[in-house]
Amino acid sequence: MIIQRIFAVLYMLAGIAKLFPQFEDVVAELKVAAIANQGTWYEGVSVWIGAHAQFVNLLVGAILFISGLVLLINPPWTKWVIYGQLLMMAVFVTLLHRSQPQVVPLDVVFALAALYMLRVQSRRTPRARTFPTRDFSVHQPASDQPARTTRPQSGDSYDVVIIGGGVAGLTAASEFDQERVLVVEKSASLGGNARYEQYQGLKHPVGGVCFQEPLPDSEMMYILKKIGMDKMYRSNAEDTLVFFDTMLLMRCLGEIVVGFLKQPAYLLKPSVWGLTGQLFLNAIIGKPYVSSAKQLGDPTFAELYRFLDRFAPGTRLYPQVPWTEESGWPREEMELLDNTSLYTYLFEPEKLAGFPQHLRPPVSLGKLVENAVRVALRVECSDLHDISAYAGLYFLIGYLRGNLMTLPGGNGGFSAGLCGYLDKKENVTMITDSTLEHISQLADDHAELQLMVGGQSVQINTRQVIWAVQKTEIVKHLPALPKSQLDAIQTICYEDYYLASVLLSKPVLSHSFGGYMIEPENASANEPYHWCKPGTCLVANWMDSANKSEVGVLSLLMPTTRPERKGRDATGKFRALQKQTYFEISKLLTNIGMSPDVIEDIKIWHWSGGLVTSVKGHQSRGIFNAAGEPFKCIHFANQDSIGIGNIEGAIFSGLKASKTVKQRLHSSVSHQTVAEDSLAEAVL
């Protein structure tokens, strides 16, 4: 700011000097220039200015003084004044360089100062603000979520009780048509981490946001069709932006050039050259991000994409999770990848001497690709050095190479659809604000449960139980679980994550799904509440395109929250996290030419243990299979039965558990029928 203030004073003095010909006779200079510029392409402009030299002199003096005053006051729109100064300097150098060559070095000094001031303006910290929301938000039930008034009574009996009303539990409940089912949810609304809220009618997610493009025969498509939502989701295939850190792109320029030279057809696209110009301009003036359509990065990522296509869904090498003997992968190859970090696998080729040729990645993956992979993993709170190559490939295939889908309200729209479907089933009862207090008389075909429902203790009976919440929660109820199962449960890594909803007074990026923000690895080293950035630009207006509200919502996803990772766990630090959210969104908005004043409020949700991460060795050791083994009449359905913290894992586990339970119930009925027939024969 010192340099800006110095030049502010110089501009103001230069403006005043225009009133005193003894200091600078601009009128005479302009007339001499008109003569010197004869025969040039700008002769007409120069002659006109010379003819109106007195007026132009006064106008330029006023502009110089006012622009200097703006530099001194430094309002948010100062950068546009600096752009105007650069334009004015370019005009006067063009007009005066023939008659007064000394103007060139003088204006070069002022131009360099202007560029420096633009860099400062691009990095300026927005003024601190206070927002209406002062603490982590508590989700309120959506208005279109079913509100059941039926409550279980002591002595009631059910065929199945499902503990947990998240996506896994709701999916399991949807599979029962005849059995009497009770779904028990501890919070005030159903949906687990897949929920949404509304801002002036605009649906926006407060937990999970998107899912992978479902294959026609996938579990996800099966459920979407069942609840009538298979035509409602939208794809990000053509609408994803990528915000690259400007200086990271500059450092990786060689990697980018090589990628485009390998695919020269891209060099014929005007958008490629526009992006190149944007990059160099941003590097000069200090704008933090260069934005582009995701497709423009394809040449740089082509080698990685070709490699990932070997493992595409439907191929023998698709890395199903959890791994089973039927998955198509030989155990020895799965163990090889699962005991190797994804970082070593993709970026340390010298350590892969023992790998079979068909599993070896290309050796030419560069730093930009590494940062993109790192960001894609952070969406699921996974770390490039921690996650196994086997589980990491699963993520990259779905989240980097594949297309992502979303519904209005994100994954909350999906859970709302499930709730609507279940609300029509007379055999299913769903209760909220209820908890399991105690399990007694546990057998293979019977359990007695004590629930706390609306502050009242209720004793119920059930033939089977589906545990659809974190397995760590059941340990206190079932200390008699086998030691191997207890050990497996304790080994599972659960991650907290946070989601911020930035409420805006007008739509922003409303024609885009959103995008990744790719930054250097150490970008947040000195900022303990720095968001990890993937999903910063997830846009509610794009997800809920049918809504015509003149407001907007941007979602920031998931800072890494393991305590050992640079102190990023922000539990109890709401104001610090909200402040950092404001700074980062302001930086983004300024980068796209919008004022941070459009930010109305910032809400943040904290999901404790909301994601499961699969680290090295978990798949090969069978951690998730061992943790999810049924115990007597209790069956497990949750992402921690799969080892992947996404909605697909929750659906898969819910369907798997319901299938097993139905088989148990059918087997129990068959055995009972046989026993009754035997008794009848004995009596006869």
Side-chain angles (χ1 to χ4, degrees):
M1 285 300 297
I2 294 176
I3 291 178
Q4 183 169 313
R5 291 191 180 101
I6 291 173
F7 276 85
V9 173
L10 291 176
Y11 274 108
M12 294 170 70
L13 291 175
I16 295 172
K18 298 293 184 280
L19 300 175
F20 301 96
Q22 57 268 39
F23 290 113
E24 184 182 10
D25 193 349
V26 176
V27 174
E29 291 171 357
L30 291 176
K31 291 179 178 179
V32 171
I35 298 171
N37 292 331
Q38 291 180 1
T40 63
W41 60 269
Y42 47 87
E43 175 185 354
V45 175
S46 185
V47 169
W48 185 91
I49 290 176
H52 302 83
Q54 188 62 49
F55 167 75
V56 172
N57 177 53
L58 293 175
L59 178 63
V60 170
I63 291 174
L64 286 173
F65 183 85
I66 293 172
S67 64
L69 188 62
V70 170
L71 291 180
L72 197 63
I73 299 172
N74 196 36
W77 40 271
T78 299
K79 64 178 181 180
W80 299 112
V81 171
I82 299 174
Y83 280 123
Q85 291 173 343
L86 283 169
L87 178 62
M88 186 173 64
M89 280 184 269
V91 170
F92 275 93
V93 165
T94 301
L95 293 175
L96 300 175
H97 76 280
R98 294 168 68 93
S99 60
Q100 298 188 56
Q102 66 272 20
V103 75
V104 176
L106 180 63
D107 275 10
V108 165
V109 173
F110 274 80
L112 291 174
L115 292 174
Y116 174 79
M117 289 185 284
L118 279 177
R119 293 182 68 84
V120 173
Q121 292 296 321
S122 296
R123 290 172 165 82
R124 68 185 293 172
T125 302
R127 59 183 175 83
R129 290 176 56 188
T130 301
F131 296 100
T133 300
R134 303 296 180 88
D135 204 350
F136 291 108
S137 297
V138 177
H139 181 70
Q140 301 298 321
S143 58
D144 58 352
Q145 197 168 75
R148 288 292 184 94
T149 57
T150 304
R151 295 282 179 174
Q153 304 296 316
S154 288
D156 284 355
S157 295
Y158 296 88
D159 295 305
V160 185
V161 172
I162 300 174
I163 306 297
V167 168
L170 297 175
T171 297
S174 72
E175 287 292 282
F176 297 102
D177 297 321
Q178 306 298 326
E179 298 82 359
R180 191 179 182 199
V181 178
L182 174 67
V183 179
V184 180
E185 169 57 40
K186 69 176 181 180
S187 65
S189 59
L190 299 159
N193 294 355
R195 310 188 199 188
Y196 71 83
E197 287 198 344
Q198 298 190 52
Y199 173 50
Q200 296 189 24
L202 179 63
K203 295 178 181 178
H204 62 91
V206 299
V209 175
C210 54
F211 52 92
Q212 299 174 38
E213 183 173 15
L215 296 175
D217 59 347
S218 65
E219 291 87 359
M220 173 64 84
M221 182 59 77
Y222 164 74
I223 294 294
L224 285 168
K225 286 182 176 179
K226 182 163 67 171
I227 64 178
M229 302 186 79
D230 56 309
K231 306 295 183 184
M232 296 176 62
Y233 59 80
R234 299 183 64 195
S235 168
N236 76 336
E238 301 297 330
D239 298 285
T240 299
L241 290 175
V242 180
F243 286 82
F244 292 96
D245 179 272
T246 300
M247 298 317 296
L248 174 64
L249 270 191
M250 290 297 293
R251 288 195 294 270
C252 298
L253 200 55
E255 179 182 344
I256 297 169
V257 170
V258 169
F260 278 105
L261 290 178
K262 289 181 178 179
Q263 298 193 37
Y266 273 81
L267 298 176
L268 302 177
K269 296 184 177 184
S271 55
V272 170
W273 296 104
L275 179 63
T276 304
Q278 181 190 357
L279 170 61
F280 285 107
L281 176 62
N282 285 12
I284 293 171
I285 66 175
K287 288 187 73 171
Y289 299 122
V290 175
S291 60
S292 74
K294 182 182 177 184
Q295 290 76 13
L296 287 185
D298 286 352
T300 305
F301 295 91
E303 291 283 350
L304 177 63
Y305 288 165
R306 277 195 290 269
F307 176 65
L308 293 178
D309 287 343
R310 298 186 199 173
F311 307 94
T315 64
R316 182 186 71 83
L317 289 179
Y318 179 63
Q320 296 181 18
V321 288
W323 178 87
T324 63
E325 296 286 352
E326 296 77 31
S327 68
W329 276 78
R331 172 178 285 277
E332 60 274 15
E333 292 186 358
M334 179 275 293
E335 290 179 346
L336 192 62
L337 266 69
D338 194 58
N339 288 291
T340 303
S341 75
L342 186 63
Y343 178 81
T344 293
Y345 185 58
L346 293 180
F347 304 107
E348 295 182 319
E350 70 278 4
K351 297 183 180 180
L352 304 181
F355 279 67
Q357 192 62 40
H358 67 280
L359 292 181
R360 291 192 184 186
V363 296
S364 56
L365 299 178
K367 200 66 179 178
L368 188 61
V369 173
E370 178 187 329
N371 279 275
V373 170
R374 192 183 304 277
V375 167
L377 293 173
R378 286 178 182 167
V379 172
E380 298 295 331
C381 286
S382 292
D383 187 270
L384 182 56
H385 292 273
D386 289 347
I387 193 169
S388 75
Y390 184 83
L393 283 175
Y394 170 87
F395 275 120
L396 296 183
I397 290 163
Y399 287 91
L400 186 63
R401 178 57 171 149
N403 296 323
L404 299 177
M405 308 291 149
T406 194
L407 293 157
N411 290 353
F414 180 85
S415 63
L418 267 173
C419 288
Y421 175 82
L422 290 171
D423 200 41
K424 299 173 184 177
K425 294 173 73 73
E426 296 295 330
N427 64 309
V428 177
T429 299
M430 298 180 287
I431 58 174
T432 56
D433 294 312
S434 305
T435 57
L436 173 68
E437 296 292 303
H438 185 63
I439 300 175
S440 59
Q441 299 185 18
L442 186 64
D444 289 342
D445 58 357
H446 175 78
E448 189 174 284
L449 308 179
Q450 181 181 331
L451 306 177
M452 188 63 67
V453 182
Q456 180 180 359
S457 181
V458 176
Q459 203 86 14
I460 63 171
N461 299 295
T462 182
R463 296 169 63 193
Q464 298 290 310
V465 176
I466 294 179
W467 190 267
V469 294
Q470 289 182 13
K471 293 181 177 61
T472 51
E473 296 294 318
I474 203 172
V475 173
K476 61 185 177 183
H477 296 292
L478 294 178
L481 281 171
K483 184 178 184 304
S484 59
Q485 190 165 8
L486 287 171
D487 290 344
I489 291 173
Q490 296 300 330
T491 303
I492 297 173
C493 296
Y494 297 91
E495 294 281 8
D496 291 4
Y497 76 90
Y498 301 81
L499 182 142
S501 295
V502 183
L503 309 184
L504 309 171
S505 60
K506 61 174 64 175
V508 173
L509 301 172
S510 56
H511 298 292
S512 173
F513 168 81
Y516 291 107
M517 304 195 74
I518 300 179
E519 296 183 307
E521 180 180 358
N522 61 351
S524 59
N526 298 317
E527 299 175 4
Y529 305 116
H530 185 99
W531 292 85
C532 72
K533 290 295 180 59
T536 295
C537 308
L538 292 170
V539 186
N541 305 78
W542 185 90
M543 299 179 186
D544 195 6
S545 57
N547 184 279
K548 302 303 179 185
S549 297
E550 290 302 314
V551 295
V553 179
L554 294 178
S555 297
L556 252 71
L557 280 179
M558 307 176 193
T560 307
T561 55
R562 284 184 182 171
E564 65 270 21
R565 292 186 185 163
K566 301 180 183 178
R568 286 175 176 157
D569 192 344
T571 302
K573 302 291 185 180
F574 173 81
R575 295 307 299 273
L577 190 54
Q578 186 187 56
K579 180 180 178 181
Q580 184 67 29
T581 306
Y582 171 63
F583 287 161
E584 294 191 23
I585 285 294
S586 297
K587 186 177 175 182
L588 167 69
L589 293 174
T590 302
N591 196 82
I592 61 176
M594 293 197 67
S595 169
D597 291 341
V598 300
I599 301 174
E600 298 285 319
D601 196 8
I602 297 175
K603 294 185 174 183
I604 302 175
W605 283 263
H606 171 209
W607 299 97
S608 178
L611 283 178
V612 172
T613 59
S614 184
V615 300
K616 288 185 296 182
H618 276 189
Q619 296 291 335
S620 58
R621 290 160 56 195
I623 293 296
F624 304 106
N625 290 323
E629 283 293 319
F631 180 74
K632 297 188 181 299
C633 68
I634 296 180
H635 308 264
F636 296 97
N638 194 19
Q639 54 177 284
D640 58 7
S641 296
I642 306 301
I644 297 295
N646 59 14
I647 193 171
E648 292 88 351
I651 289 170
F652 177 81
S653 67
L655 292 175
K656 181 180 178 182
S658 61
K659 181 179 179 180
T660 303
V661 167
K662 288 203 292 188
Q663 290 173 345
R664 281 280 191 95
L665 291 173
H666 177 74
S667 174
S668 176
V669 170
S670 299
H671 289 158
Q672 184 177 352
T673 302
V674 170
E676 289 173 351
D677 290 344
S678 299
L679 179 61
E681 290 176 3
V683 171
L684 291 175

